[in-house]
Amino acid sequence: MVRSCWKPSVEGEDGEGSGRVDGLLWHKDLGSHVYGDFSMAVVQANTSLEDRSQLESGPFSSNHNNSNNTCPQGTFIGVYDGHGGSEASQFVTDNLFTNLMRIADEEGGMSEEVIRKAYSATEKGFLSVVKRNWMSKPEIASTGTCCLVGIICNGMLYIGNCGDSRVVLGRLERGMKEVSPIQLSQEHNVNIERVRDEVRSKHPFDPQIVVMKHHVWRVKGLIQVSRSIGDAYLKKAEFNREPLPLKYRLGEPFFKPILSCDPSILSQKLHPDDQFLIFASDGLWEHLSNQEAVSIVSNNPHHGIARRLVKAAMREAAKKREMRLTELEKIEEGARRNFHDDITVVVVFLNHKLSDNNTSQSPRGSPLSLRAPSPANTN
């Protein structure tokens, strides 16, 4: 038996609807953003859904008369894979895009530095929430989120990432007449040797900074990601003491942040052969390779493509346990986590005719703000 707990939030969709619910699966099969179509889907596995995601498209300035803004309109995609609870991922959903737009206005447009400042401002805001609630709800110090964002504007693509979510570009190889995958994001998971080396280099006097626990590499034996928003208990020593639950407390004091909120950032011009972008939490990539995901998107209709990717990952998860997908879909949240993680997918198609023709005076359709999911029992 599965229970529906979805409460998606959507504004300005021109009557297209805010998505549908099928047990633990929420999906928005097709919508329109400034530069083309998009599709979104989320499936819950944890007892409490910790993933959040959003898509914002339209004017990229709170001040429409700001002639200094070099990125007057565009599309923003965010995938936030929370851990230890949903407080951090929900906070990022509510604040990161707002911070980004405010800073872009101040700086006169989008840039890598604007993205970095937006991450920092969002982190600072969440740590303030932790401090305010420290005595009444100390466990909020142990909640955090991976944070993957994409910004498309003015012919440019910007990617920012903290954690182990991933974005993959599908690019048409004209000579081969097929679409190839190009991974655009850097991941920050200490099960990757490069990331372990990076963490150790920043903490050379701590031989226990990265340890193997339950056959998995973890920072201080606690967490797999080395960068996140939140996780205050590994950022500031003042949040790594009573009344924080004992299982999160370190045995020795620390004098500089163990985890970082600094994102890896990529910026590049869109290429005419760039077909689509797949943004997804690691729940998808645990079961599908970049090539498999790109092949699914390039060989199927736009409508429902994010849902198709989620189902493909679930089918692989079921196969690994010698089950049918229909059997897996009957398992409730909580118990479902033994088979797969929460999975969030946003597929954004790139129509270069729209991109070339778009001007600040002629946005495509009404401004769109789609945030899904938000469990109905969220306080």
Side-chain angles (χ1 to χ4, degrees):
M1 179 180 178
V2 293
R3 294 190 299 273
S4 170
C5 62
W6 304 104
K7 186 183 176 184
S9 172
V10 62
E11 296 176 3
E13 278 230 287
D14 294 333
E16 290 181 332
S18 57
R20 294 185 178 182
V21 176
D22 180 9
L24 296 178
L25 174 69
W26 175 90
H27 54 98
K28 166 68 176 173
D29 281 340
L30 196 67
S32 298
H33 69 106
V34 171
Y35 302 116
D37 295 335
F38 74 89
S39 179
M40 297 174 70
V42 185
V43 67
Q44 178 177 350
N46 287 292
T47 303
S48 174
L49 182 78
E50 296 175 330
D51 279 15
R52 295 290 187 271
S53 56
Q54 69 184 119
L55 187 144
E56 313 280 342
S57 191
F60 259 23
S61 174
S62 56
N63 178 7
H64 303 306
N65 296 317
N66 185 356
S67 59
N68 294 322
N69 193 329
T70 60
C71 187
Q73 66 169 13
T75 294
F76 171 93
I77 307 98
V79 171
Y80 318 123
D81 181 358
H83 47 261
S86 60
E87 289 89 347
S89 54
Q90 187 62 53
F91 184 88
V92 172
T93 305
D94 294 338
N95 292 275
L96 178 58
F97 179 68
T98 302
N99 287 333
L100 186 74
M101 293 301 96
R102 174 180 56 79
I103 296 168
D105 267 354
E106 294 169 355
E107 301 283 334
M110 196 59 60
S111 68
E112 294 189 8
E113 186 61 21
V114 165
I115 295 169
R116 204 175 303 280
K117 287 181 178 180
Y119 271 71
S120 179
T122 306
E123 165 91 342
K124 183 178 179 181
F126 186 69
L127 294 188
S128 296
V129 171
V130 173
K131 189 167 187 175
R132 286 198 305 271
N133 291 276
W134 175 239
M135 295 309 297
S136 61
K137 196 177 180 182
E139 63 273 14
I140 196 175
S142 63
T143 186
T145 187
C146 300
C147 183
L148 170 66
V149 303
I151 300 118
I152 307 166
C153 67
N154 205 29
M156 292 290 295
L157 171 65
Y158 300 86
I159 301 294
N161 191 43
C162 277
D164 56 9
S165 296
R166 185 185 304 172
V167 56
V168 174
L169 169 70
R171 176 174 287 174
L172 179 64
E173 300 292 346
R174 292 188 180 274
M176 302 170 65
K177 294 185 179 179
E178 63 181 36
V179 180
S180 297
I182 301 174
Q183 184 171 325
L184 299 180
S185 53
Q186 287 189 34
E187 291 165 30
H188 312 111
N189 186 309
V190 291
N191 286 288
I192 302 170
E193 185 177 6
R194 167 187 57 79
V195 180
R196 289 199 299 277
D197 291 344
E198 177 187 79
V199 173
R200 285 168 175 154
S201 70
K202 291 180 179 178
H203 302 271
F205 303 111
D206 185 353
Q208 300 297 309
I209 189 66
V210 183
V211 297
M212 178 76 77
K213 188 173 182 180
H214 304 307
H215 309 292
V216 174
W217 288 101
R218 298 177 188 271
V219 179
K220 301 301 290 184
L222 293 168
I223 188 169
Q224 295 182 52
V225 295
S226 62
R227 304 191 196 187
S228 68
I229 289 181
D231 295 307
Y233 75 119
L234 294 174
K235 304 275 182 69
K236 292 191 173 185
E238 66 184 280
F239 300 126
N240 201 288
R241 57 181 177 82
E242 292 185 359
L244 184 73
L246 186 61
K247 65 180 178 179
Y248 297 114
R249 281 185 251 156
L250 302 180
E252 66 286 332
F254 61 94
F255 303 99
K256 67 177 183 177
I258 294 171
L259 302 186
S260 168
C261 73
D262 187 40
S264 293
I265 300 177
L266 171 144
S267 61
Q268 63 184 42
K269 286 186 177 181
L270 287 171
H271 189 276
D273 292 330
D274 294 345
Q275 304 293 296
F276 54 81
L277 297 155
I278 306 171
F279 294 82
S281 58
D282 69 324
L284 181 82
W285 307 113
E286 286 173 1
H287 301 290
L288 296 180
S289 69
N290 294 353
Q291 182 62 67
E292 287 169 333
V294 164
S295 294
I296 289 171
V297 176
S298 60
N299 290 305
N300 288 282
H302 292 190
H303 187 277
I305 196 62
R307 175 163 50 101
R308 187 182 292 270
L309 284 170
V310 168
K311 293 269 190 175
M314 291 171 60
R315 190 173 291 108
E316 288 300 313
K319 189 185 298 183
K320 291 172 185 175
R321 303 294 287 271
E322 298 183 343
M323 299 171 63
R324 293 187 178 93
L325 175 60
T326 52
E327 295 173 313
L328 176 61
E329 290 175 325
K330 295 175 183 176
I331 299 173
E332 285 192 350
E333 68 273 28
R336 181 80 75 88
R337 184 62 182 87
N338 296 314
F339 300 86
H340 66 82
D341 199 354
D342 295 338
I343 302 173
T344 294
V345 178
V346 184
V347 180
V348 176
F349 293 94
L350 302 169
N351 184 329
H352 293 279
K353 291 181 180 179
L354 289 172
S355 179
D356 293 341
N357 294 334
N358 250 313
T359 66
S360 58
Q361 288 77 32
S362 181
R364 184 183 184 222
S366 301
L368 170 69
S369 177
L370 178 58
R371 301 180 181 189
S374 176
N377 61 357
T378 297
N379 292 325

